[in-house]
Every structure is written in structure tokens, then in C-alpha cells.
Amino acid sequence: MPQPCRLTVLDTITDAGKPGRPNEDRFGHNADAAFVLDGATGLGDRQFIDGYGSDAAWIAEFGTERLTQRLDAHADPRDILRAISAEARDTFLAIAGDQPRYAWPLCSLTALRTTPTGFQYFGLGDSCLYLLHDGGTSDFVIPIPGAYEWEQHRAAEHIARLGGIGATGSANSDPQTLEDLRRGRALQNTPDGFTWTFGIVPEAADHLVMVDVPVSGGGATALLCSDGLADLVALYKAYDAGSLVRAAMDKGLAALVAELRHFERELDPDGLQYPRFKQSDDTTAILLRLSVEANSPLRDFRF
């Protein structure tokens, strides 16, 4: 029986934040789902997995390949993510051995899929979904409400102490900031922390944020993105949820990334006006059309 709902990929982009550094973002999609994974910049003393540029890029690639193969309209995403994380754990520990938790690779995840009863969002970490309904209303979904504001607050403390992001373009080069970041990273995916992400901790799947995505009037347009592109809304205030999706539809994702890089590299390269930990972040997004068959009862489903 055909699915009453359909996801159609309209546009995609992934762009490294800095030339010469690995892009630690990935995106993927199949007939039933689309997703973005944003690898968290490593805080360890060395890289353990060869061939990807960084351990963060490896875990994002590892997850993307397996989600593309296994995620469909019927399987429980928690079961799939739990199994993938267990595989990743075994692979990483076999190579790296015992390492401090701050050195464990992880990434945020934002995803949409069709189900037999509608559309479903799920995610971990600070990547997000912007949704523009055909009727003009918009929605914003993020697994960690307030994540962008909290990071801006912490980045502002770093900027105030050092007078800017720094010559390397990353706050990790400052010993005190690195120590603070490591302390917070070590608490991720533990009962003592507040943040659950995708990586080598299978139990994180139990904390997966899952939300039904209602579509009224026959359809909507969705933008799944890493926190890099989300800065156009959360940090630079150039758009709101609805106008960001509309701009992606009208101008294309490449134009939005160019606009983001203008803010980062030309208007505020040292983070004095718009506090952040990196001058430029890896940026990845998928623009999707969500459509419902005309005779489907799901056309009138609402929050």
C-alpha cells in the first residue's frame, strides 16, 4: 500500500568552515527519510581513526552510511541508533583503547522521516528543523531548547576574557577554554549531564527526541540543518524560521551559506559583535518538500 506522505529533496549543501580543515558534517537521505549529522570538534590530544580527517568526521560518516541503509518508515529510530552506536563503540575502542570521555567522538543529529501515519522528526544535540507550512505558519524544532543561546553566552565569556576568537579561528587553542569545553564534553551522554548526542554511547538512543510533524493544507517545506546555518537565525538574526525556509526556496542553499560566510569572515571575523567559539563553522542543510496525498486524512492533521 503506498505511503500517504512523501519527502522530496529539493536542495542540499555541505560546506567546510575553514579551508584545509576536514568538514565534520554529513547529510543523507533515502526513500523514507533525510538527516543531517554534525560532528563535534574533537577535544582530545590526537586523532585515532585514520582516513577521515578527524574522529568527528568519522562518526558522522559512520552514522550517515548506516542510517541511509537502515532507516525506513516502519523501524524504530531508537533501535536503529542504539545498534549503530554499539557498532561505533566497538570500532572506536578497538583502535583507541581506553580514552577520557571528552575524546570520544560524537555528533548532533536532526532527521525527518515518513511513517504510515504521517511525518516524524527525531534528533539529538543541537542541529535543528525549520518548517514552513503552505498556509504561511512556521515551526522550529531542536532537541535541546535554548542550546544556541547557552552557547552564545559561553562564547561571550571566552571573547570577553581573550578579546576575540583568536588567530587560529577557534577557541580550542586557549588552554582555559579548552579545559572548560572538555569538562562539559565529558558530561555528555551521562546521567550527570544535560546533553545527549549520537556517538559511541548506545544509551543515548533512549533520550532521542521524537516529535510528530503535522502538515495542514496538503504540504510544507522543511529545512534540516546543522547549527552552522542556524546561526543565520539564532546568532545573526538575519531571518526567522519562516523567512529562512522561504529564502532557501527562493535563493538556494548556496546563497544562504555565502551570506553566512559574509557575516563570519567579513563583518565579524573575531566574534566581537556575534560571540561564537569558531570564526566559521561547518554548515550542512537539506531542503525538503513534505507532501500529503489529496485524499489522505492526514491532510488535516495538526498539532
Side-chain angles (χ1 to χ4, degrees):
M1 183 176 181
Q3 290 289 100
C5 300
R6 184 170 69 252
L7 287 175
T8 304
V9 176
L10 302 177
D11 196 5
T12 64
I13 196 167
T14 186
D15 185 72
K18 184 176 182 180
R21 283 183 52 86
N23 185 348
E24 296 171 336
D25 286 1
R26 297 292 188 275
F27 70 85
H29 53 84
N30 58 28
D32 297 319
F35 40 86
V36 168
L37 288 88
D38 177 3
T41 300
L43 300 178
D45 294 321
R46 52 159 293 192
Q47 174 185 335
F48 295 97
I49 309 294
D50 294 329
Y52 296 86
S54 72
D55 293 341
W58 166 75
I59 192 63
E61 180 78 15
F62 192 96
T64 297
E65 289 180 350
R66 285 154 181 79
L67 283 171
T68 303
Q69 297 165 357
R70 303 177 190 179
L71 187 61
D72 61 27
H74 302 279
D76 188 335
R78 290 165 294 197
D79 293 339
I80 294 173
L81 288 170
R82 192 177 297 109
I84 296 173
S85 292
E87 292 178 42
R89 175 197 59 200
D90 293 345
T91 301
F92 180 77
L93 295 181
I95 296 171
D98 186 28
Q99 298 297 328
R101 291 186 73 100
Y102 64 72
W104 291 5
L106 53 87
C107 57
S108 65
L109 164 68
T110 187
L112 266 175
R113 69 165 183 162
T114 61
T115 74
T117 58
F119 297 101
Q120 181 185 62
Y121 171 85
F122 62 90
L124 292 164
D126 63 359
S127 293
C128 66
L129 162 69
Y130 296 102
L131 189 68
L132 178 63
H133 297 274
D134 286 357
T137 61
S138 61
D139 292 301
F140 169 65
V141 183
I142 187 171
I144 310 173
Y148 298 152
E149 293 79 6
W150 174 241
E151 180 161 333
Q152 290 167 28
H153 170 73
R154 296 176 65 215
E157 294 178 335
H158 166 81
I159 297 293
R161 185 167 55 82
L162 295 185
I165 293 173
T168 65
S170 174
N172 293 3
S173 59
D174 173 64
Q176 180 175 328
T177 299
L178 178 60
E179 181 182 352
D180 292 342
L181 291 171
R182 281 177 167 179
R183 189 179 304 111
R185 183 73 60 85
L187 291 174
Q188 288 194 25
N189 299 318
T190 73
D192 295 327
F194 300 98
T195 302
W196 295 89
T197 47
F198 169 76
I200 65 171
V201 180
E203 295 78 15
D206 298 330
H207 301 268
L208 186 68
V209 172
M210 303 177 69
V211 181
D212 288 334
V213 178
V215 172
S216 60
T221 305
L223 182 63
L224 292 168
C225 63
S226 62
D227 62 339
L229 195 69
D231 275 345
L232 284 173
V233 175
L235 181 59
Y236 302 112
K237 312 298 184 185
Y239 301 94
D240 58 19
S243 62
L244 181 69
V245 178
R246 175 59 62 187
M249 296 165 62
D250 293 344
K251 299 191 292 187
L253 292 175
L256 289 180
V257 172
E259 188 172 349
L260 174 70
R261 299 307 183 213
H262 177 68
F263 275 108
E264 294 172 332
R265 298 169 181 171
E266 298 178 42
L267 295 183
D268 187 37
D270 216 22
L272 299 178
Q273 184 176 356
Y274 303 103
R276 56 201 188 275
F277 283 116
K278 301 175 187 175
Q279 182 189 84
S280 297
D281 199 4
D282 299 337
T283 300
T284 300
I286 302 181
L287 186 67
L288 300 161
R289 178 64 185 167
L290 282 60
S291 55
V292 181
E293 291 181 0
N295 60 351
S296 170
L298 299 177
R299 280 178 63 89
D300 296 320
F301 181 64
R302 290 175 170 81
F303 279 114

